[in-house]
Amino acid sequence: MAVLSDSFDAFVRDGDRFTSTAPEAWAQGRTLYGGMTLALAHEAARRYFDELPPLRSAQCLFVGPAAGRVHFLPGMLRKGRSTTMVAVEAVSDDGPVLRASFVFGASRDSAVAVEPPGLPDVAKPDEAIPLFASGHERAPGFTANFDMRLGGGAQGVSGGEPMMATWAKFREPPGGDPVSALLALADAPPPAAITRFPRVAPLSSVTWHIDLVAEPTDVDGWHLLAAEAEHAGEGLTTQDMKLWREDGQLLAIGRQNIAIFA
């Protein structure tokens, strides 16, 4: 098991560039899993630009494997009175890895308010079943850093409904910036379409859009990620995602497009 913030603290800065040797403890096959790559990009942005307001939204295009030395290059897109837009490009010694954009925004008074949805009716963490058996060969390597339990929906390769409500938490407190930790946590469970896989097979995130509804103060405890596949076909699946704290506060809403090889 690894501590998330140790990977952030291992960043080497050279002028406008931040370099990370992709930590094997957070790998999915030959690459870092998507949430870790985006979390590193966010770390590069917040370390390069001083006094950014809270993160409101992130959009990411996963271009190639994040392996070996990965270089993150942040740049300013626009700085307004309340909103700052930052782009981060990541490249490895073998080619492009990621293109991400982040929207940071200060709070403003507004007459409009809509209450976010509460927790769905699922099993509590202590009643939920493990998503992966200990040491299970199907589990990507990075999942050893998380305790993940299925609170609702179907298990992978079960033929069940394409929905998974997964409780997840870091096995070791992540430390560091809670927003970076949230990005890493939000992409830890497998996509909902895995319930319809006829057999274990590779998959890879292509795009990810995530909007933060509330600013996390810590990401040490249980969080529920509900993912529902809205479509799958021709080697791709799209899914809707929501992430809550255990106390029912909605933290993030997302959409993902994922390549599947089953």
Side-chain angles (χ1 to χ4, degrees):
M1 290 179 287
V3 176
L4 183 71
S5 59
D6 288 348
S7 297
F8 303 148
D9 293 340
F11 255 146
V12 176
R13 181 173 180 177
D14 180 11
D16 296 341
R17 183 172 74 173
F18 295 80
T19 298
S20 170
T21 299
E24 293 185 4
W26 300 94
Q28 177 181 342
R30 65 193 180 107
T31 179
L32 296 179
Y33 79 101
M36 183 61 173
T37 312
L38 187 59
L40 286 165
H42 176 257
E43 278 293 310
R46 78 177 195 88
R47 290 176 185 222
Y48 188 66
F49 296 107
D50 295 330
E51 299 181 356
L52 287 169
L55 180 67
R56 303 295 182 172
S57 183
Q59 301 84 37
C60 184
L61 176 64
F62 299 102
V63 183
R69 292 195 310 164
V70 183
H71 313 286
F72 295 83
L73 298 93
M76 180 67 69
L77 295 175
R78 181 180 184 274
K79 184 175 179 61
R81 285 178 294 180
S82 61
T83 301
T84 300
M85 299 179 182
V86 172
V88 178
E89 183 172 5
V91 297
S92 73
D93 293 342
D94 294 326
V97 169
L98 165 148
R99 286 188 176 180
S101 58
F102 297 96
V103 180
F104 300 89
S107 298
R108 292 183 289 111
D109 290 335
S110 175
V112 180
V114 177
E115 287 298 314
L119 279 171
D121 185 15
V122 298
K124 299 299 183 184
D126 58 355
E127 301 168 345
I129 60 176
L131 197 62
F132 301 109
S134 179
H136 200 295
E137 62 180 9
R138 287 166 35 183
F142 78 88
T143 61
N145 299 306
F146 297 96
D147 187 347
M148 291 191 280
R149 306 180 185 183
L150 188 66
Q155 282 278 22
V157 197
S158 67
E161 62 178 316
M163 188 280 283
M164 301 180 80
T166 304
W167 290 104
K169 70 174 181 178
F170 290 94
R171 292 194 183 276
E172 297 290 340
D177 180 65
V179 175
S180 295
L182 183 73
L183 294 174
L185 181 73
D187 191 43
I194 201 172
T195 66
R196 295 290 179 87
F197 278 31
R199 60 190 178 281
V200 177
L203 53 88
S204 179
S205 294
V206 180
T207 64
W208 188 20
H209 179 114
I210 182 167
D211 295 320
L212 273 66
V213 178
E215 186 175 9
T217 55
D218 69 71
V219 193
D220 292 353
W222 286 109
H223 292 73
L224 182 74
L225 179 73
E228 182 175 2
E230 297 174 326
H231 168 266
E234 300 181 341
L236 291 167
T237 181
T238 58
Q239 68 175 22
D240 173 79
M241 309 159 74
K242 292 182 177 66
L243 178 70
W244 291 266
R245 289 193 328 197
E246 188 178 6
D247 65 5
Q249 182 182 27
L250 183 68
L251 294 178
I253 299 171
R255 290 193 61 79
Q256 228 172 6
N257 181 275
I258 303 155
I260 54 179
F261 301 90

